[in-house]
Every structure is written in structure tokens, then in C-alpha cells.
Amino acid sequence: VGVKQEAPTSTTTVKSGDWSSGRGILPARETLGPLFLMATTPAFSIVFFHVCSAMNGNFLEFAKLCINNGLLSTIYNVWPNPWDPI
């Protein structure tokens, strides 16, 4: 009831072997994870918007389009042109 516990220090969290503390499993997770998210989020957002607006939310049809035309070619064709906003 009146027992005061000390906050964990960096030495106790590293020794615990917990995946959420310490150095972690993946090397360079502080840089590669955020870079991966920054690189993939715009493409995912544009593809998601295209599928929902132009393909009536049919992700299976988009997958078939990617299989037939290739993923990068499909994303290139879907990507909006900044000089032609329509």
C-alpha cells in the first residue's frame, strides 16, 4: 500500500531481454524502420485512394491489374501527374 517502487533504469531494461527494450532484434531499427515508412506510405496512400475512387474499392481487381501489367508499371500509371491535376 505504501511501498514506493523505483523506476527501471537503462541497465535493468537491457538485462531483462524484453523485445520492447534495449537494442532490439533488428539492427538499425531507429533509422531503417522510419525510412521504410517514409518511402512506402505515399505509394500506399495513392494506390489506396485510386482503388477506392476509380475501382469502387475492388482490391482484387487491382491485384489482377498488377499481375497482368506489373506492380511498378501499374503504380506508375496510377500515380498522379503534378502538371495535370485532372
Side-chain angles (χ1 to χ4, degrees):
V1 171
V3 179
K4 186 176 180 183
Q5 295 180 356
E6 293 183 29
T9 62
S10 62
T11 57
T12 59
T13 55
V14 173
K15 288 182 181 178
S16 68
D18 188 9
W19 62 269
S20 63
S21 62
R23 286 178 273 147
I25 296 171
L26 299 174
R29 66 185 174 127
E30 293 87 11
T31 55
L32 295 181
L35 285 174
F36 174 76
L37 287 175
M38 287 188 288
T40 58
T41 301
F44 176 78
S45 301
I46 289 173
V47 167
F48 187 82
F49 179 79
H50 174 75
V51 170
C52 290
S53 62
M55 303 179 90
N56 296 324
N58 193 349
F59 285 93
L60 186 59
E61 189 65 33
F62 182 76
K64 290 178 184 176
L65 187 66
C66 288
I67 291 171
N68 291 338
N69 297 342
L71 178 65
L72 294 178
S73 175
T74 304
I75 291 176
Y76 179 78
N77 291 331
V78 167
W79 202 269
N81 185 355
W83 307 114
D84 185 20
I86 296 178

